Amino acid sequence: MSVEAAHAPLARTKDDTLVRIRDLHVYFNVRRGPFLKRHDVVLKAVDGISFDVNSGETFSIVGESGCGKSTTARAILKVETPTKGEIIWRGLSLAKIDPAQTKAYRAAVQAVFQDPYSSMNPRLRVLDFVSEPMLLNLAIGKKERRERSERALHQVGLRADDLNSFPHEFSGGQRQRIAIARAIASEPKLIVLDEPVSSLDVSIRAQIMNLLKSLQEDHGYSYLFIAHHLGTVRYMSHMVGVMYLGRMMELSESEALFTNPAHPYTQALFSAALPDHPDVERKQVLLRNDVAAPTEIPPGCRLHTRCPFAMPVCANIEPEWKEIGPRHWTACHLI
Ligand code: SF4
């Protein structure tokens, strides 16, 4: 079965936007407080974000841990159900797709996580791991699953014979190649990469990033890339969204963001994490205080309790989203 036939229930949109995220909210009810006084509070993991992932492009989300980037990825993977808002895949709202369309979606959207070993059953061979998404989501026979698995392994630089081996026989970098083979064997459109190189040594990290880039060039995959290492994000991305406490603070083409970050939070994130280049004068911005809890998001601009530029208006009125350049948006009363 061709990939188009396998994905047929999902309609195409006319433009090159693969997935549109619109006003996405993901809230959780959690129990808090001491014994006998426990009560429900709402944890706002994702609190109203919108962005597009275009065909053949990498959209990265950066931000401190707990900012909502992985929850966003899990919502796109249909692991979390949005509390509000929409995820629109090639013109269809994910909330409205039927079981057949859901299967096609699960084949078309694959994932690679930080630690592939934890998701590998040590008693199952690589073939079982790589072919599992095809078994679950595509109406293709055993022979074709085997052929696609062999092809995928070859594309990630491993041998077809490796399908008969067990996960413990491979290094960390090889296991991540196997996880990528599992993702591409279904011939997906979008691959969610959640910290895919964070646990790898620097030299192996570079090899895996180069592999992901060349697979994208050859096959036109879109990536949703979640990472905290900003150098990696800069290398991989076409577009970058900067998240803080469940909300997007800035969204831009990658180079424009890294050369000219506009929002105080982006500036602070870069000040803390990127080394100074001798030829580039970078504004040093330091945040005060600790990040607020996602159960107690401050009113107004949610960064105001930490922002060195905060003004009285910031504590009361949420800044509006503004376009400040080609494919570059931010929300701050200073801008
Ligand atoms: Fe800082 Fe105010 Fe801008 Fe928020 S709106 S980032 S608090 S200056």
Side-chain angles (χ1 to χ4, degrees):
M1 181 187 283
S2 75
V3 65
E4 281 312 314
H7 298 162
L10 298 171
R12 267 188 184 284
T13 50
K14 285 194 193 101
D15 61 25
D16 64 352
T17 307
L18 189 64
V19 55
R20 291 179 200 277
I21 313 300
R22 289 294 175 269
D23 198 28
L24 180 71
H25 293 66
V26 185
Y27 290 177
F28 302 103
N29 286 326
V30 291
R31 300 282 286 163
R32 284 285 153 83
F35 187 58
L36 297 180
K37 286 192 179 168
R38 290 181 90 68
H39 57 284
D40 279 338
V41 291
V42 178
L43 188 154
K44 298 178 176 179
V46 179
D47 196 23
I49 61 169
S50 301
F51 61 92
D52 294 341
V53 181
N54 291 332
S55 295
E57 288 194 357
T58 300
F59 187 100
S60 294
I61 305 180
V62 297
E64 294 162 288
S65 58
C67 70
K69 49 191 192 302
S70 288
T71 306
T72 303
R74 288 167 63 81
I76 292 171
L77 287 167
K78 260 184 133 343
V79 177
E80 302 292 353
T81 305
T83 310
K84 188 179 155 198
E86 271 195 310
I87 299 170
I88 302 159
W89 169 262
R90 306 173 108 194
L92 281 181
S93 169
L94 285 197
K96 294 178 187 151
I97 59 176
D98 63 26
Q101 290 170 323
T102 300
K103 267 196 166 196
Y105 180 76
R106 292 202 188 284
V109 180
Q110 294 290 313
V112 176
F113 298 102
Q114 180 173 352
D115 177 14
Y117 197 53
S118 62
S119 58
M120 291 175 174
N121 183 334
R123 280 173 298 204
L124 292 184
R125 293 179 193 274
V126 169
L127 174 62
D128 300 308
F129 179 73
V130 171
S131 58
E132 187 183 34
M134 292 184 281
L135 182 65
L136 293 174
N137 302 313
L138 292 177
I140 57 176
K142 193 173 174 183
K143 184 165 172 281
E144 186 170 352
R145 289 199 300 273
R146 170 105 202 177
E147 284 168 3
R148 284 191 183 203
S149 299
E150 286 179 1
R151 202 158 56 233
L153 234 63
H154 179 69
Q155 285 169 348
V156 301
L158 296 172
R159 295 172 301 125
D161 285 355
D162 291 327
L163 287 174
N164 301 319
S165 302
F166 291 94
H168 71 265
E169 296 174 55
F170 297 90
S171 67
Q174 287 171 324
R175 278 185 211 133
Q176 203 54 301
R177 286 176 190 269
I178 292 168
I180 295 167
R182 173 185 161 103
I184 64 174
S186 296
E187 298 180 0
K189 297 290 177 197
L190 172 67
I191 305 178
V192 173
L193 302 165
D194 193 348
E195 301 281 6
V197 295
S198 303
S199 62
L200 303 175
D201 293 342
V202 176
S203 61
I204 307 292
R205 191 183 294 175
Q207 290 173 16
I208 298 293
M209 287 196 305
N210 287 334
L211 170 65
L212 288 167
K213 278 202 126 184
S214 72
L215 286 171
Q216 185 176 53
E217 280 160 22
D218 292 347
H219 302 277
Y221 301 134
S222 300
Y223 294 145
L224 178 70
F225 189 64
I226 311 286
H228 67 273
H229 187 269
L230 294 175
T232 307
V233 170
R234 186 173 192 169
Y235 179 69
M236 290 293 294
S237 311
H238 297 87
M239 295 290 292
V240 180
V242 182
M243 271 184 93
Y244 178 73
L245 273 182
R247 195 56 81 83
M248 229 31 119
M249 297 285 108
E250 188 165 0
L251 202 160
S252 172
E253 286 187 344
S254 179
E255 265 321 290
L257 186 81
F258 280 94
T259 50
N260 194 16
H263 194 281
Y265 181 69
T266 315
Q267 292 168 355
L269 202 64
F270 289 2
S271 295
L274 290 177
D276 282 337
H277 188 284
D279 300 333
V280 179
E281 210 173 295
R282 192 188 295 284
K283 196 158 136 191
Q284 292 295 309
V285 176
L286 297 176
L287 298 178
R288 323 178 281 243
N289 307 325
D290 291 331
V291 61
T295 49
E296 291 166 19
I297 292 178
C301 172
R302 57 194 62 203
L303 189 68
H304 82 262
T305 53
R306 306 181 70 197
C307 178
F309 311 115
M311 307 166 281
V313 65
C314 303
N316 300 311
I317 298 176
E318 186 155 11
E320 285 184 9
W321 200 237
K322 298 178 198 112
E323 188 163 9
I324 58 169
R327 296 221 289 173
H328 193 167
W329 297 264
T330 193
C332 171
H333 289 304
L334 280 177
I335 297 162

mmCIF file of all heavy atoms in Angstrom, residues 21-27 44-51 72 83-85 243 245-249 297 302 318 321:
data_model
loop_
_atom_site.group_PDB
_atom_site.id
_atom_site.type_symbol
_atom_site.label_atom_id
_atom_site.label_comp_id
_atom_site.label_asym_id
_atom_site.label_seq_id
_atom_site.Cartn_x
_atom_site.Cartn_y
_atom_site.Cartn_z
ATOM 1 N N ILE A 21 -2.002 24.598 15.178
ATOM 2 C CA ILE A 21 -2.383 24.568 16.583
ATOM 3 C C ILE A 21 -3.081 25.890 16.847
ATOM 4 O O ILE A 21 -2.501 26.952 16.584
ATOM 5 C CB ILE A 21 -1.134 24.460 17.499
ATOM 6 C CG1 ILE A 21 -0.174 23.381 17.002
ATOM 7 C CG2 ILE A 21 -1.515 24.279 18.955
ATOM 8 C CD1 ILE A 21 -0.734 22.011 16.949
ATOM 9 N N ARG A 22 -4.308 25.830 17.338
ATOM 10 C CA ARG A 22 -5.071 27.061 17.545
ATOM 11 C C ARG A 22 -5.609 27.133 18.972
ATOM 12 O O ARG A 22 -6.431 26.317 19.365
ATOM 13 C CB ARG A 22 -6.239 27.150 16.551
ATOM 14 C CG ARG A 22 -5.792 27.411 15.112
ATOM 15 C CD ARG A 22 -5.153 28.790 14.955
ATOM 16 N NE ARG A 22 -4.616 29.026 13.615
ATOM 17 C CZ ARG A 22 -3.368 28.755 13.232
ATOM 18 N NH1 ARG A 22 -2.504 28.214 14.080
ATOM 19 N NH2 ARG A 22 -2.954 29.023 12.020
ATOM 20 N N ASP A 23 -5.101 28.132 19.727
ATOM 21 C CA ASP A 23 -5.589 28.420 21.083
ATOM 22 C C ASP A 23 -5.602 27.151 21.953
ATOM 23 O O ASP A 23 -6.550 26.906 22.701
ATOM 24 C CB ASP A 23 -6.994 29.038 20.989
ATOM 25 C CG ASP A 23 -7.370 29.755 22.279
ATOM 26 O OD1 ASP A 23 -6.469 30.235 22.974
ATOM 27 O OD2 ASP A 23 -8.577 29.804 22.596
ATOM 28 N N LEU A 24 -4.548 26.370 21.849
ATOM 29 C CA LEU A 24 -4.489 25.084 22.563
ATOM 30 C C LEU A 24 -4.322 25.286 24.065
ATOM 31 O O LEU A 24 -3.433 26.018 24.513
ATOM 32 C CB LEU A 24 -3.310 24.252 22.020
ATOM 33 C CG LEU A 24 -3.115 22.878 22.662
ATOM 34 C CD1 LEU A 24 -4.223 21.924 22.250
ATOM 35 C CD2 LEU A 24 -1.757 22.291 22.294
ATOM 36 N N HIS A 25 -5.210 24.664 24.822
ATOM 37 C CA HIS A 25 -5.120 24.648 26.284
ATOM 38 C C HIS A 25 -5.081 23.189 26.726
ATOM 39 O O HIS A 25 -5.896 22.382 26.255
ATOM 40 C CB HIS A 25 -6.342 25.289 26.942
ATOM 41 C CG HIS A 25 -6.492 26.758 26.704
ATOM 42 N ND1 HIS A 25 -6.741 27.311 25.459
ATOM 43 C CD2 HIS A 25 -6.451 27.806 27.580
ATOM 44 C CE1 HIS A 25 -6.841 28.628 25.581
ATOM 45 N NE2 HIS A 25 -6.669 28.961 26.851
ATOM 46 N N VAL A 26 -4.179 22.830 27.625
ATOM 47 C CA VAL A 26 -4.209 21.511 28.264
ATOM 48 C C VAL A 26 -4.081 21.744 29.771
ATOM 49 O O VAL A 26 -3.025 22.171 30.260
ATOM 50 C CB VAL A 26 -3.067 20.585 27.770
ATOM 51 C CG1 VAL A 26 -3.234 19.189 28.382
ATOM 52 C CG2 VAL A 26 -3.035 20.501 26.247
ATOM 53 N N TYR A 27 -5.188 21.531 30.479
ATOM 54 C CA TYR A 27 -5.223 21.715 31.931
ATOM 55 C C TYR A 27 -5.365 20.355 32.604
ATOM 56 O O TYR A 27 -5.977 19.430 32.055
ATOM 57 C CB TYR A 27 -6.440 22.561 32.340
ATOM 58 C CG TYR A 27 -6.397 24.027 31.944
ATOM 59 C CD1 TYR A 27 -7.496 24.847 32.231
ATOM 60 C CD2 TYR A 27 -5.311 24.590 31.301
ATOM 61 C CE1 TYR A 27 -7.492 26.195 31.879
ATOM 62 C CE2 TYR A 27 -5.297 25.931 30.948
ATOM 63 C CZ TYR A 27 -6.398 26.728 31.229
ATOM 64 O OH TYR A 27 -6.404 28.053 30.871
ATOM 65 N N LYS A 44 -2.207 24.554 34.786
ATOM 66 C CA LYS A 44 -2.336 25.008 33.392
ATOM 67 C C LYS A 44 -1.031 24.717 32.652
ATOM 68 O O LYS A 44 -0.151 25.569 32.552
ATOM 69 C CB LYS A 44 -2.671 26.494 33.362
ATOM 70 C CG LYS A 44 -4.012 26.774 34.035
ATOM 71 C CD LYS A 44 -4.347 28.252 34.052
ATOM 72 C CE LYS A 44 -5.723 28.466 34.649
ATOM 73 N NZ LYS A 44 -6.098 29.879 34.720
ATOM 74 N N ALA A 45 -0.895 23.486 32.161
ATOM 75 C CA ALA A 45 0.358 23.080 31.499
ATOM 76 C C ALA A 45 0.537 23.812 30.172
ATOM 77 O O ALA A 45 1.632 24.251 29.833
ATOM 78 C CB ALA A 45 0.361 21.571 31.285
ATOM 79 N N VAL A 46 -0.543 23.908 29.407
ATOM 80 C CA VAL A 46 -0.537 24.665 28.142
ATOM 81 C C VAL A 46 -1.745 25.592 28.223
ATOM 82 O O VAL A 46 -2.856 25.149 28.494
ATOM 83 C CB VAL A 46 -0.629 23.722 26.918
ATOM 84 C CG1 VAL A 46 -0.642 24.524 25.631
ATOM 85 C CG2 VAL A 46 0.526 22.725 26.911
ATOM 86 N N ASP A 47 -1.504 26.884 27.973
ATOM 87 C CA ASP A 47 -2.524 27.869 28.351
ATOM 88 C C ASP A 47 -2.855 28.837 27.222
ATOM 89 O O ASP A 47 -2.799 30.050 27.391
ATOM 90 C CB ASP A 47 -2.007 28.632 29.591
ATOM 91 C CG ASP A 47 -3.111 29.394 30.296
ATOM 92 O OD1 ASP A 47 -4.280 29.025 30.142
ATOM 93 O OD2 ASP A 47 -2.791 30.358 31.000
ATOM 94 N N GLY A 48 -3.115 28.257 26.032
ATOM 95 C CA GLY A 48 -3.543 29.115 24.928
ATOM 96 C C GLY A 48 -2.412 29.436 23.966
ATOM 97 O O GLY A 48 -1.942 30.577 23.931
ATOM 98 N N ILE A 49 -1.983 28.436 23.207
ATOM 99 C CA ILE A 49 -0.908 28.685 22.241
ATOM 100 C C ILE A 49 -1.393 28.358 20.827
ATOM 101 O O ILE A 49 -2.260 27.510 20.637
ATOM 102 C CB ILE A 49 0.388 27.882 22.546
ATOM 103 C CG1 ILE A 49 0.138 26.369 22.501
ATOM 104 C CG2 ILE A 49 0.966 28.273 23.893
ATOM 105 C CD1 ILE A 49 1.431 25.562 22.521
ATOM 106 N N SER A 50 -0.813 29.079 19.856
ATOM 107 C CA SER A 50 -1.138 28.866 18.444
ATOM 108 C C SER A 50 0.146 28.896 17.635
ATOM 109 O O SER A 50 1.001 29.756 17.870
ATOM 110 C CB SER A 50 -2.064 29.973 17.926
ATOM 111 O OG SER A 50 -3.262 30.023 18.666
ATOM 112 N N PHE A 51 0.279 27.956 16.735
ATOM 113 C CA PHE A 51 1.393 27.980 15.789
ATOM 114 C C PHE A 51 1.110 26.984 14.669
ATOM 115 O O PHE A 51 0.200 26.159 14.785
ATOM 116 C CB PHE A 51 2.746 27.677 16.458
ATOM 117 C CG PHE A 51 2.852 26.317 17.108
ATOM 118 C CD1 PHE A 51 3.335 25.221 16.407
ATOM 119 C CD2 PHE A 51 2.487 26.136 18.426
ATOM 120 C CE1 PHE A 51 3.449 23.972 17.006
ATOM 121 C CE2 PHE A 51 2.572 24.889 19.035
ATOM 122 C CZ PHE A 51 3.054 23.803 18.327
ATOM 123 N N THR A 72 2.540 19.938 25.031
ATOM 124 C CA THR A 72 2.110 20.312 23.681
ATOM 125 C C THR A 72 2.361 19.154 22.716
ATOM 126 O O THR A 72 1.489 18.782 21.914
ATOM 127 C CB THR A 72 2.876 21.566 23.211
ATOM 128 O OG1 THR A 72 2.648 22.614 24.155
ATOM 129 C CG2 THR A 72 2.442 22.010 21.832
ATOM 130 N N THR A 83 -7.982 20.678 26.581
ATOM 131 C CA THR A 83 -9.093 21.200 27.372
ATOM 132 C C THR A 83 -9.896 22.181 26.522
ATOM 133 O O THR A 83 -11.105 22.282 26.631
ATOM 134 C CB THR A 83 -8.535 21.941 28.616
ATOM 135 O OG1 THR A 83 -7.600 21.073 29.255
ATOM 136 C CG2 THR A 83 -9.623 22.339 29.586
ATOM 137 N N LYS A 84 -9.194 22.884 25.652
ATOM 138 C CA LYS A 84 -9.822 23.885 24.784
ATOM 139 C C LYS A 84 -8.887 24.089 23.593
ATOM 140 O O LYS A 84 -7.690 23.823 23.695
ATOM 141 C CB LYS A 84 -9.952 25.190 25.580
ATOM 142 C CG LYS A 84 -10.735 26.283 24.932
ATOM 143 C CD LYS A 84 -10.786 27.492 25.861
ATOM 144 C CE LYS A 84 -11.009 28.753 25.064
ATOM 145 N NZ LYS A 84 -10.664 29.951 25.796
ATOM 146 N N GLY A 85 -9.443 24.610 22.504
ATOM 147 C CA GLY A 85 -8.612 24.870 21.333
ATOM 148 C C GLY A 85 -8.617 23.690 20.378
ATOM 149 O O GLY A 85 -9.269 22.675 20.622
ATOM 150 N N MET A 243 8.472 29.193 24.872
ATOM 151 C CA MET A 243 7.345 29.040 25.798
ATOM 152 C C MET A 243 7.740 29.358 27.222
ATOM 153 O O MET A 243 8.853 29.044 27.656
ATOM 154 C CB MET A 243 6.819 27.596 25.765
ATOM 155 C CG MET A 243 5.744 27.358 24.728
ATOM 156 S SD MET A 243 5.082 25.676 24.824
ATOM 157 C CE MET A 243 3.693 25.922 25.914
ATOM 158 N N LEU A 245 5.629 29.201 31.075
ATOM 159 C CA LEU A 245 4.409 28.940 31.863
ATOM 160 C C LEU A 245 3.189 28.713 30.978
ATOM 161 O O LEU A 245 2.144 29.331 31.188
ATOM 162 C CB LEU A 245 4.142 30.113 32.814
ATOM 163 C CG LEU A 245 4.817 30.069 34.176
ATOM 164 C CD1 LEU A 245 4.403 31.270 35.016
ATOM 165 C CD2 LEU A 245 4.485 28.781 34.939
ATOM 166 N N GLY A 246 3.341 27.847 30.003
ATOM 167 C CA GLY A 246 2.211 27.431 29.190
ATOM 168 C C GLY A 246 1.837 28.339 28.050
ATOM 169 O O GLY A 246 0.882 28.055 27.319
ATOM 170 N N ARG A 247 2.548 29.432 27.861
ATOM 171 C CA ARG A 247 2.191 30.416 26.848
ATOM 172 C C ARG A 247 3.394 30.689 25.948
ATOM 173 O O ARG A 247 4.525 30.637 26.421
ATOM 174 C CB ARG A 247 1.762 31.688 27.568
ATOM 175 C CG ARG A 247 1.022 32.754 26.809
ATOM 176 C CD ARG A 247 -0.232 32.353 26.108
ATOM 177 N NE ARG A 247 -1.446 32.250 26.892
ATOM 178 C CZ ARG A 247 -2.244 33.261 27.222
ATOM 179 N NH1 ARG A 247 -1.922 34.481 26.876
ATOM 180 N NH2 ARG A 247 -3.353 33.052 27.872
ATOM 181 N N MET A 248 3.143 31.015 24.672
ATOM 182 C CA MET A 248 4.213 31.392 23.762
ATOM 183 C C MET A 248 4.604 32.846 24.047
ATOM 184 O O MET A 248 3.740 33.719 24.114
ATOM 185 C CB MET A 248 3.666 31.298 22.353
ATOM 186 C CG MET A 248 4.426 30.575 21.286
ATOM 187 S SD MET A 248 5.443 29.210 21.627
ATOM 188 C CE MET A 248 4.669 27.937 20.675
ATOM 189 N N MET A 249 5.886 33.096 24.240
ATOM 190 C CA MET A 249 6.366 34.463 24.476
ATOM 191 C C MET A 249 6.857 35.101 23.166
ATOM 192 O O MET A 249 6.736 36.298 22.961
ATOM 193 C CB MET A 249 7.544 34.450 25.459
ATOM 194 C CG MET A 249 7.215 33.934 26.837
ATOM 195 S SD MET A 249 6.284 35.150 27.810
ATOM 196 C CE MET A 249 4.673 34.404 27.846
ATOM 197 N N ILE A 297 -0.551 30.923 38.055
ATOM 198 C CA ILE A 297 0.040 31.777 37.020
ATOM 199 C C ILE A 297 -0.267 33.239 37.337
ATOM 200 O O ILE A 297 -1.427 33.598 37.583
ATOM 201 C CB ILE A 297 -0.484 31.364 35.630
ATOM 202 C CG1 ILE A 297 0.086 29.970 35.305
ATOM 203 C CG2 ILE A 297 -0.080 32.381 34.570
ATOM 204 C CD1 ILE A 297 -0.345 29.383 34.017
ATOM 205 N N ARG A 302 2.614 37.117 32.438
ATOM 206 C CA ARG A 302 2.979 36.078 33.418
ATOM 207 C C ARG A 302 4.455 36.102 33.789
ATOM 208 O O ARG A 302 4.863 35.444 34.734
ATOM 209 C CB ARG A 302 2.534 34.705 32.932
ATOM 210 C CG ARG A 302 3.059 34.250 31.603
ATOM 211 C CD ARG A 302 2.264 33.051 31.103
ATOM 212 N NE ARG A 302 0.884 33.392 30.904
ATOM 213 C CZ ARG A 302 -0.120 32.511 30.907
ATOM 214 N NH1 ARG A 302 0.123 31.233 31.048
ATOM 215 N NH2 ARG A 302 -1.352 32.911 30.732
ATOM 216 N N GLU A 318 -2.479 41.784 30.213
ATOM 217 C CA GLU A 318 -1.697 40.844 29.421
ATOM 218 C C GLU A 318 -1.329 41.493 28.090
ATOM 219 O O GLU A 318 -2.196 42.031 27.396
ATOM 220 C CB GLU A 318 -2.537 39.577 29.177
ATOM 221 C CG GLU A 318 -1.735 38.512 28.499
ATOM 222 C CD GLU A 318 -2.267 37.127 28.766
ATOM 223 O OE1 GLU A 318 -3.374 36.996 29.306
ATOM 224 O OE2 GLU A 318 -1.547 36.189 28.420
ATOM 225 N N TRP A 321 -0.338 40.015 21.312
ATOM 226 C CA TRP A 321 0.560 39.377 20.360
ATOM 227 C C TRP A 321 0.759 40.317 19.170
ATOM 228 O O TRP A 321 -0.211 40.784 18.589
ATOM 229 C CB TRP A 321 -0.125 38.081 19.932
ATOM 230 C CG TRP A 321 0.693 37.006 19.339
ATOM 231 C CD1 TRP A 321 0.488 36.437 18.111
ATOM 232 C CD2 TRP A 321 1.805 36.335 19.913
ATOM 233 N NE1 TRP A 321 1.417 35.447 17.909
ATOM 234 C CE2 TRP A 321 2.228 35.364 18.991
ATOM 235 C CE3 TRP A 321 2.505 36.460 21.113
ATOM 236 C CZ2 TRP A 321 3.315 34.527 19.235
ATOM 237 C CZ3 TRP A 321 3.581 35.619 21.352
ATOM 238 C CH2 TRP A 321 3.973 34.677 20.424
#
